[in-house]
Amino acid sequence: MTNTTACPLDCYDACEVLYENGKLKGLASGYTQGFLCPHLNHYDKFERISAPRYKGEVISMQKALEKLKELVENTPKHQMLCYKGSGNFGLMQDVTEHFFASNDNVLTDGTLCDGAGEAGIIEGRGSNKNMPYSEIEKSDVIIFWGRNPHVTSSHLLPLIKDKKIIVVDPVKTQIAKMADYHVQLKPHTDLYFAMLLTRFLHIEGSLDEEFLREYASEFEDYYELTQAIRIKATLDTMGLSLGDIGAVLEMVQNQKVAIVCGVGIQKYSDGADVMRAIDAFAVTLGLFGKSGCGVAYLGNSKEGIDSPFNTKAKTVSKVNVSFDEFETVFIQGANPLAQMPDSQRVSNSIYHTKNVVYFGLWENETSERADLVIPAKNFLEKDDIRASYGHNVLSLMLRQVESEFGISEYELAKYLCDSFNIEIKTEQEYIEHFKSFGVMNINGAFEVENRENIPYQEGFDTDDGEFVFLDEFEVLQDSEEDELHLITPKSPKSLNSQFERDKFVYINSSHGIDEGEAIKITSVNGELALKVKINEDLRDDCVLIYSGTPGVNNLTSSKHSLEGKSAIFQETMVSIIREF
């Protein structure tokens, strides 16, 4: 048995892992470069669910499965919901949805993460083909736009040495402190900054006119749209100057440029438009279809891979589902009581649900509420295979250890399929199916076949092969004086609500609040009390609370993005109350 596997976590890097003598190490060859991120380094340091339980009483796995079967039998089909998280990116995770879809139960759609940005990319380009790490490495200039690689994609860092770095971010992140230029703009103004960059690129006569003629012939109409922006007023609102625009344009002209975007820029109702405006700037520079150039976001990790599982079913939104509209809810690898927006609504809903089943690895708010808890096997204890949204590698995840407890997704799905006479193939047949979409490249890496390392070389995947520009946008509005922007980035020590979760609110010292002081943060959706940590890397119009912080989603709205059916966590204005 090989001792190599891959990290299962929801992350750009999807590291390849060496398991030796009970320890995890980064594979020295390839993009993992011999080191692992803090999440995987401390993967085994947190409390796992070690035994099934029902109504608080520990039971055997057999009894837990029999109870699950009983719940499925006794619940009307349209009253049974499967709510699956994305904390584990193994392709075999979807096998449970195969059962519930085949049983005519209800699944979820939409996303708590990247859906608005992806929708914008698809509208402009016709598809979401990502710029892989191998091409970012060939760039001369990298713009980190709302992306903090030290936290979210640390394996990019060795690839960007000796490159010019521009950062566009309201927070002076670690990469911003290293950068050649940092644009510390106001949150939720990225669209206007991107449009102004395009406008001034035209004014300076620095467009890639040949590329525009061939692949973006409607550019003049878009340029006219950019002229609707009032330059001075908009720059004042963003807290920027013409010098910021000039500095960025000077650094990117006649260079190989990679624009590397994070998900924070699209956590808004108009998140699709934000990505379209950034893509439009890249188009005017002629960055697509060329080596070392392009826009990297979250690619479609399943691009070029056909699923063997049945997932055709009625769906409800993952963003704002009302759990109490169902009699039984099966929750897999998710913590909706912490991860979904508008926690008070979610809590009220899930506490009024008759039967809640939790299937996962870790104890959390949702497992504490569940009636039936079934422990899962971790990635070392089962066979799986995964792809990535950051690169094109297809990684086999072979079992490394025997598990003393827990059950895999396939084992649970097979038990249910066999119990209800639903067809299911062997686990090995499914893994071989997924492997069939891979091919060994010239460097010895096993990659998804037919994915393009340099996408869009023959034009875009739209009907006519041309980029589709944004044709309207909302005028930038000033926020109320006493309102602050809520920023909810990923924490260095936790991944969503997994691992070591932060418990503080971060603000600039300009508010006159002392380190360690307890304050209340309020929004139209709810409130949260936390102790303060002073952070001078923040703008004074921002409040930062990491996304895994218990209670942060008391503040957020369960509304969807206008496109992409995505959560809009950062479209939340908050106020601070010192005495309560």
Side-chain angles (χ1 to χ4, degrees):
M1 181 175 68
T2 178
N3 62 344
T4 58
T5 181
C7 172
L9 299 176
D10 178 6
C11 170
Y12 295 94
D13 291 357
C15 295
E16 292 187 307
V17 178
L18 193 65
Y19 185 74
E20 288 185 332
N21 302 317
K23 293 185 178 180
L24 301 173
K25 300 176 183 178
L27 201 64
S29 60
Y31 62 91
T32 304
Q33 302 163 77
F35 71 94
L36 300 174
C37 76
H39 303 313
L40 201 56
N41 269 326
H42 301 101
Y43 187 80
D44 59 350
K45 305 294 192 297
F46 300 93
E47 181 186 8
R48 277 182 67 181
I49 301 170
S50 59
R53 61 181 184 263
Y54 182 65
K55 301 291 187 182
E57 180 183 342
V58 174
I59 58 176
S60 69
M61 180 61 76
Q62 185 59 38
K63 285 189 178 294
L65 293 175
E66 289 170 358
K67 187 63 189 178
L68 177 59
K69 176 185 173 184
E70 178 188 323
L71 291 175
V72 175
E73 277 180 330
N74 296 334
T75 301
K77 291 183 184 295
H78 68 283
Q79 284 285 296
M80 180 99 193
L81 171 68
C82 173
Y83 186 102
K84 187 178 77 67
S86 58
N88 186 315
F89 254 62
L91 293 169
M92 289 297 295
Q93 302 300 298
D94 294 343
V95 69
T96 46
E97 290 191 327
H98 171 80
F99 165 73
F100 288 108
S102 301
N103 197 49
D104 294 327
N105 301 134
V106 181
L107 306 182
T108 60
D109 60 8
T111 172
L112 301 182
C113 184
D114 61 315
E118 180 175 55
I121 288 171
I122 292 171
E123 284 188 52
R125 306 183 210 165
S127 64
N128 180 17
K129 294 177 179 176
N130 206 31
M131 182 183 187
Y133 284 11
S134 56
E135 289 303 310
I136 295 173
E137 185 177 13
K138 298 173 185 175
S139 303
D140 302 317
V141 178
I142 301 177
I143 302 176
F144 285 103
W145 204 314
R147 177 96 157 254
N148 183 8
H150 288 86
V151 172
T152 62
S153 40
S154 56
H155 289 84
L156 257 182
L157 297 173
L159 308 182
I160 65 173
K161 292 176 181 178
D162 304 321
K163 299 185 187 300
K164 293 288 185 183
I165 303 295
I166 301 169
V167 173
V168 182
D169 201 305
V171 183
K172 191 180 291 183
T173 58
Q174 192 170 346
I175 191 67
K177 293 173 184 178
M178 298 167 51
D180 296 276
Y181 200 83
H182 178 206
V183 180
Q184 194 167 8
L185 77 180
K186 184 177 184 176
H188 200 186
T189 61
D190 305 84
L191 181 148
Y192 309 100
F193 186 60
M195 292 182 73
L196 285 174
L197 286 173
T198 299
R199 181 170 171 182
F200 277 88
L201 199 64
H202 184 279
I203 291 170
E204 293 181 1
S206 301
L207 307 171
D208 187 329
E209 294 185 6
E210 182 181 347
F211 184 87
L212 292 176
R213 279 194 301 272
E214 190 166 1
Y215 299 120
S217 62
E218 300 296 321
F219 170 72
E220 287 299 332
D221 291 339
Y222 180 67
Y223 173 67
E224 192 173 315
L225 184 70
T226 69
Q227 291 178 297
I229 297 175
R230 297 170 57 215
I231 296 173
K232 185 178 185 308
T234 301
L235 288 171
D236 288 346
T237 299
M238 291 192 291
L240 303 180
S241 70
L242 284 172
D244 293 305
I245 293 174
V248 172
L249 294 185
E250 183 179 356
M251 290 176 66
V252 300
Q253 289 181 48
N254 303 312
Q255 301 291 317
K256 292 181 178 180
V257 180
I259 303 177
V260 181
C261 299
V263 298
I265 59 175
Q266 54 87 65
K267 291 183 180 180
Y268 302 96
S269 58
D270 63 346
D273 290 351
V274 175
M275 277 307 306
R276 289 183 74 182
I278 293 171
D279 264 2
F281 173 55
V283 166
T284 56
L285 284 169
L287 298 184
F288 288 100
K290 299 173 183 176
S291 178
C293 300
V295 178
Y297 177 58
L298 276 73
N300 177 4
S301 65
K302 296 177 182 177
E303 180 201 347
I305 301 173
D306 293 334
S307 174
F309 303 128
N310 174 27
T311 54
K312 293 179 180 178
K314 178 183 177 183
T315 59
V316 292
S317 171
K318 188 171 287 186
V319 177
N320 63 1
V321 57
S322 295
F323 292 103
D324 55 357
E325 292 181 357
F326 297 89
E327 184 175 311
T328 302
V329 175
F330 177 89
I331 298 169
Q332 175 185 326
N335 184 12
L337 276 172
Q339 294 171 297
M340 283 178 66
D342 196 357
S343 293
Q344 293 180 10
R345 184 199 68 82
V346 176
S347 178
N348 182 64
S349 170
I350 209 164
Y351 274 88
H352 286 90
T353 302
K354 183 177 179 180
N355 304 304
V356 177
V357 181
Y358 177 82
F359 175 45
L361 289 170
W362 316 108
E363 297 286 7
N364 56 40
E365 292 93 332
T366 304
S367 69
E368 289 176 8
R369 156 63 187 96
D371 302 289
L372 175 61
V373 176
I374 302 175
K377 289 182 178 179
N378 71 23
F379 76 106
L380 297 171
E381 300 162 348
K382 62 190 177 187
D383 290 333
D384 209 331
I385 186 169
R386 73 158 295 168
S388 168
Y389 50 73
H391 52 72
N392 294 333
V393 174
L394 189 60
S395 302
L396 198 58
M397 304 166 67
L398 295 179
R399 177 176 51 80
Q400 302 296 313
V401 296
E402 292 293 339
S403 174
E404 297 179 1
F405 53 85
I407 186 170
S408 73
E409 290 75 16
Y410 177 79
E411 291 165 338
L412 185 142
K414 187 174 190 313
Y415 174 86
L416 290 173
C417 285
D418 288 348
S419 298
F420 292 89
N421 297 314
I422 290 170
E423 183 180 357
I424 185 169
K425 296 179 181 179
T426 67
E427 185 174 40
Q428 192 58 38
E429 282 180 294
Y430 286 128
I431 289 176
E432 289 299 322
H433 169 87
F434 288 123
K435 282 174 64 177
S436 71
F437 293 97
V439 64
M440 202 70 72
N441 71 13
I442 58 173
N443 298 315
F446 193 59
E447 295 189 341
V448 180
E449 191 173 12
N450 298 324
R451 277 198 196 170
E452 305 166 60
N453 280 325
I454 307 175
Y456 310 112
Q457 292 184 76
E458 304 299 324
F460 296 98
D461 293 331
T462 52
D463 291 340
D464 60 2
E466 293 201 16
F467 183 76
V468 180
F469 288 100
L470 194 65
D471 57 10
E472 61 180 351
F473 68 96
E474 289 190 14
V475 176
L476 180 61
Q477 303 290 331
D478 280 329
S479 52
E480 298 294 328
E481 240 180 71
D482 62 339
E483 289 186 323
L484 304 170
H485 291 270
L486 176 65
I487 303 176
T488 58
K490 290 188 184 297
S491 162
K493 296 183 179 181
S494 68
L495 189 60
N496 302 319
S497 66
Q498 300 178 84
F499 311 129
E500 188 177 338
R501 297 163 69 181
D502 199 83
K503 296 180 180 178
F504 298 94
V505 55
Y506 297 81
I507 57 174
N508 188 292
S509 64
S510 63
H511 297 281
I513 297 174
D514 297 327
E515 176 99 10
E517 183 178 342
I519 62 171
K520 184 181 289 183
I521 307 97
T522 67
S523 75
V524 295
N525 300 295
E527 59 185 37
L528 174 65
L530 293 170
K531 287 187 177 180
V532 168
K533 282 199 173 183
I534 300 299
N535 188 339
E536 303 297 0
D537 297 331
L538 294 173
R539 290 172 52 104
D540 59 12
D541 56 2
C542 297
V543 166
L544 186 150
I545 305 175
Y546 286 115
S547 60
T549 303
V552 63
N553 284 317
N554 293 350
L555 304 171
T556 56
S557 166
S558 58
K559 293 179 180 178
H560 290 95
S561 56
L562 296 174
E563 297 168 68
K565 211 167 191 179
S566 190
I568 54 172
F569 291 107
Q570 291 187 172
E571 195 157 307
T572 300
M573 303 301 293
V574 299
S575 299
I576 291 173
I577 300 176
R578 294 190 67 178
E579 297 179 8
F580 60 95

